[in-house]
mmCIF file of all heavy atoms in Angstrom:
data_model
loop_
_atom_site.group_PDB
_atom_site.id
_atom_site.type_symbol
_atom_site.label_atom_id
_atom_site.label_comp_id
_atom_site.label_asym_id
_atom_site.label_seq_id
_atom_site.Cartn_x
_atom_site.Cartn_y
_atom_site.Cartn_z
ATOM 1 N N LEU A 1 80.696 86.030 106.821
ATOM 2 C CA LEU A 1 81.513 87.113 107.384
ATOM 3 C C LEU A 1 81.208 88.470 106.767
ATOM 4 O O LEU A 1 81.484 89.502 107.365
ATOM 5 C CB LEU A 1 83.002 86.811 107.187
ATOM 6 C CG LEU A 1 83.608 85.721 108.034
ATOM 7 C CD1 LEU A 1 85.060 85.495 107.644
ATOM 8 C CD2 LEU A 1 83.510 86.051 109.507
ATOM 9 N N LYS A 2 80.713 88.466 105.554
ATOM 10 C CA LYS A 2 80.403 89.700 104.827
ATOM 11 C C LYS A 2 81.645 90.553 104.573
ATOM 12 O O LYS A 2 81.566 91.770 104.497
ATOM 13 C CB LYS A 2 79.354 90.547 105.565
ATOM 14 C CG LYS A 2 78.096 89.810 105.901
ATOM 15 C CD LYS A 2 77.278 89.533 104.674
ATOM 16 C CE LYS A 2 75.929 88.959 105.094
ATOM 17 N NZ LYS A 2 75.466 87.895 104.279
ATOM 18 N N ILE A 3 82.800 89.883 104.480
ATOM 19 C CA ILE A 3 84.025 90.599 104.112
ATOM 20 C C ILE A 3 84.520 90.049 102.777
ATOM 21 O O ILE A 3 84.155 88.955 102.363
ATOM 22 C CB ILE A 3 85.126 90.502 105.189
ATOM 23 C CG1 ILE A 3 85.587 89.065 105.360
ATOM 24 C CG2 ILE A 3 84.677 91.108 106.494
ATOM 25 C CD1 ILE A 3 86.827 88.916 106.205
ATOM 26 N N SER A 4 85.359 90.795 102.139
ATOM 27 C CA SER A 4 85.863 90.450 100.819
ATOM 28 C C SER A 4 86.827 89.265 100.869
ATOM 29 O O SER A 4 87.600 89.113 101.825
ATOM 30 C CB SER A 4 86.576 91.671 100.240
ATOM 31 O OG SER A 4 87.190 91.359 99.038
ATOM 32 N N LEU A 5 86.806 88.456 99.812
ATOM 33 C CA LEU A 5 87.792 87.381 99.670
ATOM 34 C C LEU A 5 89.201 87.938 99.473
ATOM 35 O O LEU A 5 90.178 87.206 99.574
ATOM 36 C CB LEU A 5 87.439 86.488 98.479
ATOM 37 C CG LEU A 5 86.309 85.497 98.692
ATOM 38 C CD1 LEU A 5 85.989 84.785 97.394
ATOM 39 C CD2 LEU A 5 86.636 84.522 99.776
ATOM 40 N N PHE A 6 89.275 89.216 99.231
ATOM 41 C CA PHE A 6 90.553 89.914 99.107
ATOM 42 C C PHE A 6 91.477 89.575 100.276
ATOM 43 O O PHE A 6 92.671 89.382 100.087
ATOM 44 C CB PHE A 6 90.284 91.425 99.075
ATOM 45 C CG PHE A 6 91.504 92.286 99.200
ATOM 46 C CD1 PHE A 6 92.239 92.610 98.075
ATOM 47 C CD2 PHE A 6 91.899 92.794 100.426
ATOM 48 C CE1 PHE A 6 93.360 93.419 98.178
ATOM 49 C CE2 PHE A 6 93.013 93.601 100.548
ATOM 50 C CZ PHE A 6 93.749 93.911 99.410
ATOM 51 N N TRP A 7 90.931 89.462 101.486
ATOM 52 C CA TRP A 7 91.747 89.215 102.682
ATOM 53 C C TRP A 7 92.372 87.836 102.664
ATOM 54 O O TRP A 7 93.482 87.657 103.170
ATOM 55 C CB TRP A 7 90.932 89.457 103.942
ATOM 56 C CG TRP A 7 90.502 90.888 104.002
ATOM 57 C CD1 TRP A 7 89.261 91.401 103.748
ATOM 58 C CD2 TRP A 7 91.347 92.007 104.267
ATOM 59 N NE1 TRP A 7 89.270 92.772 103.839
ATOM 60 C CE2 TRP A 7 90.547 93.170 104.160
ATOM 61 C CE3 TRP A 7 92.685 92.154 104.572
ATOM 62 C CZ2 TRP A 7 91.054 94.444 104.360
ATOM 63 C CZ3 TRP A 7 93.191 93.431 104.765
ATOM 64 C CH2 TRP A 7 92.368 94.555 104.664
ATOM 65 N N SER A 8 91.703 86.859 102.088
ATOM 66 C CA SER A 8 92.308 85.527 101.951
ATOM 67 C C SER A 8 93.443 85.560 100.940
ATOM 68 O O SER A 8 94.515 85.002 101.175
ATOM 69 C CB SER A 8 91.266 84.506 101.498
ATOM 70 O OG SER A 8 90.334 84.274 102.500
ATOM 71 N N TYR A 9 93.196 86.193 99.807
ATOM 72 C CA TYR A 9 94.224 86.260 98.775
ATOM 73 C C TYR A 9 95.396 87.137 99.203
ATOM 74 O O TYR A 9 96.536 86.887 98.810
ATOM 75 C CB TYR A 9 93.623 86.760 97.459
ATOM 76 C CG TYR A 9 92.834 85.696 96.756
ATOM 77 C CD1 TYR A 9 91.488 85.497 97.059
ATOM 78 C CD2 TYR A 9 93.422 84.882 95.805
ATOM 79 C CE1 TYR A 9 90.756 84.501 96.422
ATOM 80 C CE2 TYR A 9 92.703 83.891 95.160
ATOM 81 C CZ TYR A 9 91.367 83.703 95.479
ATOM 82 O OH TYR A 9 90.657 82.727 94.856
ATOM 83 N N LEU A 10 95.131 88.133 99.998
ATOM 84 C CA LEU A 10 96.209 88.976 100.504
ATOM 85 C C LEU A 10 97.186 88.161 101.354
ATOM 86 O O LEU A 10 98.382 88.436 101.370
ATOM 87 C CB LEU A 10 95.643 90.139 101.322
ATOM 88 C CG LEU A 10 96.651 91.149 101.850
ATOM 89 C CD1 LEU A 10 97.352 91.873 100.700
ATOM 90 C CD2 LEU A 10 95.972 92.141 102.774
ATOM 91 N N SER A 11 96.689 87.149 102.028
ATOM 92 C CA SER A 11 97.565 86.309 102.849
ATOM 93 C C SER A 11 98.637 85.634 102.007
ATOM 94 O O SER A 11 99.766 85.462 102.460
ATOM 95 C CB SER A 11 96.750 85.261 103.611
ATOM 96 O OG SER A 11 96.197 84.319 102.723
ATOM 97 N N VAL A 12 98.295 85.251 100.789
ATOM 98 C CA VAL A 12 99.289 84.634 99.897
ATOM 99 C C VAL A 12 100.361 85.663 99.540
ATOM 100 O O VAL A 12 101.560 85.369 99.614
ATOM 101 C CB VAL A 12 98.620 84.072 98.628
ATOM 102 C CG1 VAL A 12 99.667 83.489 97.677
ATOM 103 C CG2 VAL A 12 97.571 83.034 98.983
ATOM 104 N N ALA A 13 99.939 86.859 99.176
ATOM 105 C CA ALA A 13 100.903 87.898 98.799
ATOM 106 C C ALA A 13 101.818 88.252 99.975
ATOM 107 O O ALA A 13 103.036 88.322 99.816
ATOM 108 C CB ALA A 13 100.167 89.136 98.301
ATOM 109 N N VAL A 14 101.244 88.444 101.144
ATOM 110 C CA VAL A 14 102.045 88.814 102.319
ATOM 111 C C VAL A 14 102.955 87.661 102.740
ATOM 112 O O VAL A 14 104.149 87.851 103.002
ATOM 113 C CB VAL A 14 101.139 89.260 103.488
ATOM 114 C CG1 VAL A 14 101.928 89.442 104.763
ATOM 115 C CG2 VAL A 14 100.412 90.539 103.126
ATOM 116 N N GLY A 15 102.396 86.469 102.815
ATOM 117 C CA GLY A 15 103.189 85.303 103.214
ATOM 118 C C GLY A 15 104.354 85.058 102.271
ATOM 119 O O GLY A 15 105.481 84.796 102.702
ATOM 120 N N MET A 16 104.095 85.163 100.970
ATOM 121 C CA MET A 16 105.162 84.937 99.995
ATOM 122 C C MET A 16 106.166 86.090 99.974
ATOM 123 O O MET A 16 107.350 85.877 99.727
ATOM 124 C CB MET A 16 104.584 84.704 98.605
ATOM 125 C CG MET A 16 103.856 83.379 98.463
ATOM 126 S SD MET A 16 104.867 81.931 98.852
ATOM 127 C CE MET A 16 104.097 81.366 100.359
ATOM 128 N N ALA A 17 105.731 87.299 100.252
ATOM 129 C CA ALA A 17 106.668 88.424 100.345
ATOM 130 C C ALA A 17 107.610 88.222 101.526
ATOM 131 O O ALA A 17 108.833 88.445 101.408
ATOM 132 C CB ALA A 17 105.909 89.741 100.473
ATOM 133 N N PHE A 18 107.074 87.797 102.664
ATOM 134 C CA PHE A 18 107.921 87.500 103.828
ATOM 135 C C PHE A 18 108.884 86.363 103.510
ATOM 136 O O PHE A 18 110.070 86.425 103.837
ATOM 137 C CB PHE A 18 107.066 87.133 105.038
ATOM 138 C CG PHE A 18 106.494 88.296 105.796
ATOM 139 C CD1 PHE A 18 106.484 89.573 105.281
ATOM 140 C CD2 PHE A 18 105.941 88.101 107.048
ATOM 141 C CE1 PHE A 18 105.952 90.640 105.992
ATOM 142 C CE2 PHE A 18 105.402 89.159 107.774
ATOM 143 C CZ PHE A 18 105.422 90.418 107.239
ATOM 144 N N LEU A 19 108.366 85.311 102.882
ATOM 145 C CA LEU A 19 109.207 84.166 102.532
ATOM 146 C C LEU A 19 110.308 84.591 101.556
ATOM 147 O O LEU A 19 111.464 84.189 101.708
ATOM 148 C CB LEU A 19 108.347 83.053 101.926
ATOM 149 C CG LEU A 19 109.025 81.716 101.697
ATOM 150 C CD1 LEU A 19 109.437 81.095 103.028
ATOM 151 C CD2 LEU A 19 108.100 80.776 100.946
ATOM 152 N N PHE A 20 109.956 85.426 100.583
ATOM 153 C CA PHE A 20 110.932 85.932 99.628
ATOM 154 C C PHE A 20 112.039 86.707 100.335
ATOM 155 O O PHE A 20 113.226 86.494 100.073
ATOM 156 C CB PHE A 20 110.250 86.823 98.583
ATOM 157 C CG PHE A 20 111.193 87.394 97.572
ATOM 158 C CD1 PHE A 20 111.531 86.669 96.443
ATOM 159 C CD2 PHE A 20 111.754 88.654 97.747
ATOM 160 C CE1 PHE A 20 112.428 87.195 95.503
ATOM 161 C CE2 PHE A 20 112.636 89.180 96.821
ATOM 162 C CZ PHE A 20 112.978 88.442 95.694
ATOM 163 N N CYS A 21 111.665 87.609 101.228
ATOM 164 C CA CYS A 21 112.662 88.420 101.951
ATOM 165 C C CYS A 21 113.593 87.545 102.778
ATOM 166 O O CYS A 21 114.810 87.747 102.797
ATOM 167 C CB CYS A 21 111.971 89.443 102.842
ATOM 168 S SG CYS A 21 111.128 90.743 101.927
ATOM 169 N N ARG A 22 113.011 86.554 103.444
ATOM 170 C CA ARG A 22 113.835 85.677 104.296
ATOM 171 C C ARG A 22 114.774 84.831 103.446
ATOM 172 O O ARG A 22 115.943 84.657 103.770
ATOM 173 C CB ARG A 22 112.916 84.800 105.162
ATOM 174 C CG ARG A 22 113.653 83.888 106.120
ATOM 175 C CD ARG A 22 114.495 84.707 107.097
ATOM 176 N NE ARG A 22 115.244 83.856 107.977
ATOM 177 C CZ ARG A 22 116.435 83.331 107.662
ATOM 178 N NH1 ARG A 22 117.002 83.578 106.506
ATOM 179 N NH2 ARG A 22 117.064 82.567 108.536
ATOM 180 N N ALA A 23 114.288 84.308 102.321
ATOM 181 C CA ALA A 23 115.130 83.504 101.432
ATOM 182 C C ALA A 23 116.190 84.363 100.747
ATOM 183 O O ALA A 23 117.322 83.910 100.530
ATOM 184 C CB ALA A 23 114.270 82.782 100.399
ATOM 185 N N LEU A 24 115.839 85.597 100.417
ATOM 186 C CA LEU A 24 116.808 86.512 99.808
ATOM 187 C C LEU A 24 117.956 86.789 100.772
ATOM 188 O O LEU A 24 119.122 86.804 100.380
ATOM 189 C CB LEU A 24 116.131 87.823 99.394
ATOM 190 C CG LEU A 24 117.025 88.870 98.744
ATOM 191 C CD1 LEU A 24 117.632 88.342 97.451
ATOM 192 C CD2 LEU A 24 116.247 90.150 98.492
ATOM 193 N N TYR A 25 117.632 86.989 102.031
ATOM 194 C CA TYR A 25 118.664 87.202 103.048
ATOM 195 C C TYR A 25 119.607 85.992 103.108
ATOM 196 O O TYR A 25 120.829 86.145 103.127
ATOM 197 C CB TYR A 25 118.026 87.459 104.411
ATOM 198 C CG TYR A 25 119.029 87.594 105.522
ATOM 199 C CD1 TYR A 25 119.687 88.786 105.748
ATOM 200 C CD2 TYR A 25 119.328 86.514 106.350
ATOM 201 C CE1 TYR A 25 120.627 88.916 106.755
ATOM 202 C CE2 TYR A 25 120.251 86.628 107.366
ATOM 203 C CZ TYR A 25 120.901 87.829 107.571
ATOM 204 O OH TYR A 25 121.827 87.940 108.566
ATOM 205 N N THR A 26 119.030 84.798 103.124
ATOM 206 C CA THR A 26 119.846 83.575 103.153
ATOM 207 C C THR A 26 120.733 83.499 101.922
ATOM 208 O O THR A 26 121.920 83.200 102.020
ATOM 209 C CB THR A 26 118.947 82.332 103.239
ATOM 210 O OG1 THR A 26 118.214 82.380 104.453
ATOM 211 C CG2 THR A 26 119.757 81.048 103.194
ATOM 212 N N PHE A 27 120.161 83.779 100.756
ATOM 213 C CA PHE A 27 120.939 83.734 99.516
ATOM 214 C C PHE A 27 122.082 84.747 99.540
ATOM 215 O O PHE A 27 123.205 84.433 99.139
ATOM 216 C CB PHE A 27 120.032 83.982 98.303
ATOM 217 C CG PHE A 27 120.788 84.036 97.014
ATOM 218 C CD1 PHE A 27 121.285 82.880 96.433
ATOM 219 C CD2 PHE A 27 121.024 85.251 96.394
ATOM 220 C CE1 PHE A 27 122.003 82.930 95.248
ATOM 221 C CE2 PHE A 27 121.740 85.311 95.208
ATOM 222 C CZ PHE A 27 122.237 84.150 94.631
ATOM 223 N N LEU A 28 121.809 85.965 99.993
ATOM 224 C CA LEU A 28 122.855 86.988 100.048
ATOM 225 C C LEU A 28 123.977 86.585 101.003
ATOM 226 O O LEU A 28 125.157 86.812 100.717
ATOM 227 C CB LEU A 28 122.265 88.336 100.445
ATOM 228 C CG LEU A 28 121.358 88.996 99.405
ATOM 229 C CD1 LEU A 28 120.701 90.257 99.982
ATOM 230 C CD2 LEU A 28 122.121 89.317 98.136
ATOM 231 N N CYS A 29 123.609 85.997 102.116
ATOM 232 C CA CYS A 29 124.634 85.521 103.063
ATOM 233 C C CYS A 29 125.469 84.405 102.446
ATOM 234 O O CYS A 29 126.696 84.371 102.606
ATOM 235 C CB CYS A 29 123.981 85.048 104.362
ATOM 236 S SG CYS A 29 123.389 86.396 105.393
ATOM 237 N N LEU A 30 124.814 83.487 101.730
ATOM 238 C CA LEU A 30 125.551 82.410 101.056
ATOM 239 C C LEU A 30 126.473 82.975 99.983
ATOM 240 O O LEU A 30 127.627 82.554 99.854
ATOM 241 C CB LEU A 30 124.579 81.404 100.430
ATOM 242 C CG LEU A 30 123.815 80.510 101.395
ATOM 243 C CD1 LEU A 30 122.697 79.776 100.665
ATOM 244 C CD2 LEU A 30 124.751 79.528 102.075
ATOM 245 N N ALA A 31 125.974 83.945 99.211
ATOM 246 C CA ALA A 31 126.776 84.542 98.140
ATOM 247 C C ALA A 31 127.976 85.298 98.692
ATOM 248 O O ALA A 31 129.042 85.329 98.061
ATOM 249 C CB ALA A 31 125.913 85.472 97.293
ATOM 250 N N ALA A 32 127.826 85.894 99.865
ATOM 251 C CA ALA A 32 128.922 86.653 100.480
ATOM 252 C C ALA A 32 129.771 85.783 101.405
ATOM 253 O O ALA A 32 130.684 86.283 102.060
ATOM 254 C CB ALA A 32 128.356 87.831 101.266
ATOM 255 N N SER A 33 129.479 84.491 101.460
ATOM 256 C CA SER A 33 130.180 83.558 102.369
ATOM 257 C C SER A 33 130.180 84.091 103.790
ATOM 258 O O SER A 33 131.187 84.096 104.488
ATOM 259 C CB SER A 33 131.612 83.306 101.900
ATOM 260 O OG SER A 33 131.606 82.724 100.626
ATOM 261 N N ARG A 34 129.030 84.552 104.204
ATOM 262 C CA ARG A 34 128.861 85.157 105.525
ATOM 263 C C ARG A 34 127.796 84.370 106.290
ATOM 264 O O ARG A 34 126.752 84.052 105.736
ATOM 265 C CB ARG A 34 128.395 86.600 105.341
ATOM 266 C CG ARG A 34 128.080 87.328 106.611
ATOM 267 C CD ARG A 34 127.418 88.666 106.268
ATOM 268 N NE ARG A 34 127.158 89.455 107.446
ATOM 269 C CZ ARG A 34 126.039 89.391 108.146
ATOM 270 N NH1 ARG A 34 125.068 88.579 107.801
ATOM 271 N NH2 ARG A 34 125.872 90.149 109.215
ATOM 272 N N PRO A 35 128.043 84.053 107.545
ATOM 273 C CA PRO A 35 126.989 83.372 108.311
ATOM 274 C C PRO A 35 125.818 84.311 108.592
ATOM 275 O O PRO A 35 125.992 85.529 108.693
ATOM 276 C CB PRO A 35 127.692 82.973 109.618
ATOM 277 C CG PRO A 35 128.845 83.895 109.727
ATOM 278 C CD PRO A 35 129.249 84.272 108.324
ATOM 279 N N GLU A 36 124.638 83.731 108.682
ATOM 280 C CA GLU A 36 123.462 84.538 109.005
ATOM 281 C C GLU A 36 123.572 85.017 110.446
ATOM 282 O O GLU A 36 123.896 84.244 111.336
ATOM 283 C CB GLU A 36 122.184 83.714 108.822
ATOM 284 C CG GLU A 36 121.913 83.376 107.383
ATOM 285 C CD GLU A 36 120.592 82.652 107.193
ATOM 286 O OE1 GLU A 36 119.847 82.465 108.177
ATOM 287 O OE2 GLU A 36 120.319 82.272 106.052
ATOM 288 N N ASN A 37 123.309 86.289 110.646
ATOM 289 C CA ASN A 37 123.399 86.885 111.976
ATOM 290 C C ASN A 37 121.991 87.267 112.445
ATOM 291 O O ASN A 37 121.686 88.442 112.593
ATOM 292 C CB ASN A 37 124.325 88.107 111.940
ATOM 293 C CG ASN A 37 124.589 88.654 113.315
ATOM 294 O OD1 ASN A 37 124.455 87.952 114.309
ATOM 295 N ND2 ASN A 37 124.943 89.925 113.383
ATOM 296 N N LEU A 38 121.175 86.257 112.630
ATOM 297 C CA LEU A 38 119.797 86.490 113.043
ATOM 298 C C LEU A 38 119.531 85.809 114.374
ATOM 299 O O LEU A 38 120.132 84.793 114.701
ATOM 300 C CB LEU A 38 118.822 85.948 111.986
ATOM 301 C CG LEU A 38 118.898 86.566 110.605
ATOM 302 C CD1 LEU A 38 117.939 85.870 109.667
ATOM 303 C CD2 LEU A 38 118.598 88.052 110.669
ATOM 304 N N ARG A 39 118.594 86.403 115.097
ATOM 305 C CA ARG A 39 118.187 85.805 116.366
ATOM 306 C C ARG A 39 117.187 84.691 116.112
ATOM 307 O O ARG A 39 116.389 84.768 115.178
ATOM 308 C CB ARG A 39 117.551 86.854 117.272
ATOM 309 C CG ARG A 39 118.530 87.935 117.700
ATOM 310 C CD ARG A 39 117.853 88.982 118.494
ATOM 311 N NE ARG A 39 116.910 89.659 117.588
ATOM 312 C CZ ARG A 39 116.176 90.687 117.924
ATOM 313 N NH1 ARG A 39 116.232 91.172 119.121
ATOM 314 N NH2 ARG A 39 115.358 91.249 117.064
ATOM 315 N N SER A 40 117.228 83.685 116.955
ATOM 316 C CA SER A 40 116.205 82.648 116.881
ATOM 317 C C SER A 40 114.912 83.226 117.449
ATOM 318 O O SER A 40 114.914 84.289 118.087
ATOM 319 C CB SER A 40 116.620 81.412 117.686
ATOM 320 O OG SER A 40 116.585 81.705 119.072
ATOM 321 N N ILE A 41 113.852 82.535 117.238
ATOM 322 C CA ILE A 41 112.561 83.018 117.735
ATOM 323 C C ILE A 41 112.570 83.086 119.257
ATOM 324 O O ILE A 41 112.051 84.034 119.845
ATOM 325 C CB ILE A 41 111.428 82.126 117.198
ATOM 326 C CG1 ILE A 41 111.325 82.367 115.693
ATOM 327 C CG2 ILE A 41 110.112 82.428 117.883
ATOM 328 C CD1 ILE A 41 110.471 81.418 114.956
ATOM 329 N N GLU A 42 113.187 82.111 119.882
ATOM 330 C CA GLU A 42 113.282 82.137 121.349
ATOM 331 C C GLU A 42 114.041 83.368 121.820
ATOM 332 O O GLU A 42 113.648 84.016 122.793
ATOM 333 C CB GLU A 42 113.976 80.866 121.874
ATOM 334 C CG GLU A 42 113.205 79.598 121.643
ATOM 335 C CD GLU A 42 113.446 78.994 120.258
ATOM 336 O OE1 GLU A 42 114.376 79.445 119.531
ATOM 337 O OE2 GLU A 42 112.683 78.100 119.889
ATOM 338 N N GLN A 43 115.123 83.710 121.138
ATOM 339 C CA GLN A 43 115.905 84.885 121.505
ATOM 340 C C GLN A 43 115.119 86.173 121.290
ATOM 341 O O GLN A 43 115.221 87.104 122.087
ATOM 342 C CB GLN A 43 117.198 84.939 120.696
ATOM 343 C CG GLN A 43 118.185 83.867 121.045
ATOM 344 C CD GLN A 43 119.335 83.810 120.053
ATOM 345 O OE1 GLN A 43 119.183 84.168 118.883
ATOM 346 N NE2 GLN A 43 120.488 83.339 120.514
ATOM 347 N N MET A 44 114.334 86.231 120.214
ATOM 348 C CA MET A 44 113.544 87.440 119.940
ATOM 349 C C MET A 44 112.590 87.745 121.079
ATOM 350 O O MET A 44 112.484 88.878 121.527
ATOM 351 C CB MET A 44 112.712 87.258 118.667
ATOM 352 C CG MET A 44 113.457 87.354 117.396
ATOM 353 S SD MET A 44 112.297 87.145 116.044
ATOM 354 C CE MET A 44 113.342 86.349 114.873
ATOM 355 N N PHE A 45 111.903 86.717 121.543
ATOM 356 C CA PHE A 45 110.878 86.949 122.541
ATOM 357 C C PHE A 45 111.428 86.955 123.957
ATOM 358 O O PHE A 45 110.891 87.638 124.809
ATOM 359 C CB PHE A 45 109.730 85.949 122.382
ATOM 360 C CG PHE A 45 108.918 86.236 121.163
ATOM 361 C CD1 PHE A 45 109.135 85.536 119.992
ATOM 362 C CD2 PHE A 45 107.985 87.257 121.168
ATOM 363 C CE1 PHE A 45 108.411 85.829 118.851
ATOM 364 C CE2 PHE A 45 107.256 87.561 120.034
ATOM 365 C CZ PHE A 45 107.473 86.847 118.872
ATOM 366 N N SER A 46 112.530 86.267 124.208
ATOM 367 C CA SER A 46 113.093 86.336 125.554
ATOM 368 C C SER A 46 113.749 87.694 125.790
ATOM 369 O O SER A 46 113.679 88.236 126.869
ATOM 370 C CB SER A 46 114.101 85.194 125.779
ATOM 371 O OG SER A 46 115.215 85.342 124.923
#
């Protein structure tokens, strides 16, 4: 490909950052005894 391995390793950083944000949201909702108010994937695209 002649591209840097940086792009493969970046996937770990981006994927884990997204996972962290999503888990943090869940944790904050649990800590506040609040249900998650998120759309399902089907709802997002429909």
Side-chain angles (χ1 to χ4, degrees):
L1 288 176
K2 306 289 188 221
I3 64 169
S4 174
L5 283 175
F6 169 86
W7 298 104
S8 291
Y9 284 87
L10 183 64
S11 68
V12 177
V14 171
M16 290 303 111
F18 279 14
L19 189 65
F20 179 86
C21 291
R22 182 61 182 85
L24 180 61
Y25 176 82
T26 298
F27 176 74
L28 291 173
C29 286
L30 289 168
S33 299
R34 176 189 183 270
E36 292 184 3
N37 187 22
L38 298 177
R39 295 176 294 183
S40 70
I41 291 169
E42 294 85 11
Q43 291 170 332
M44 284 181 212
F45 289 98
S46 65

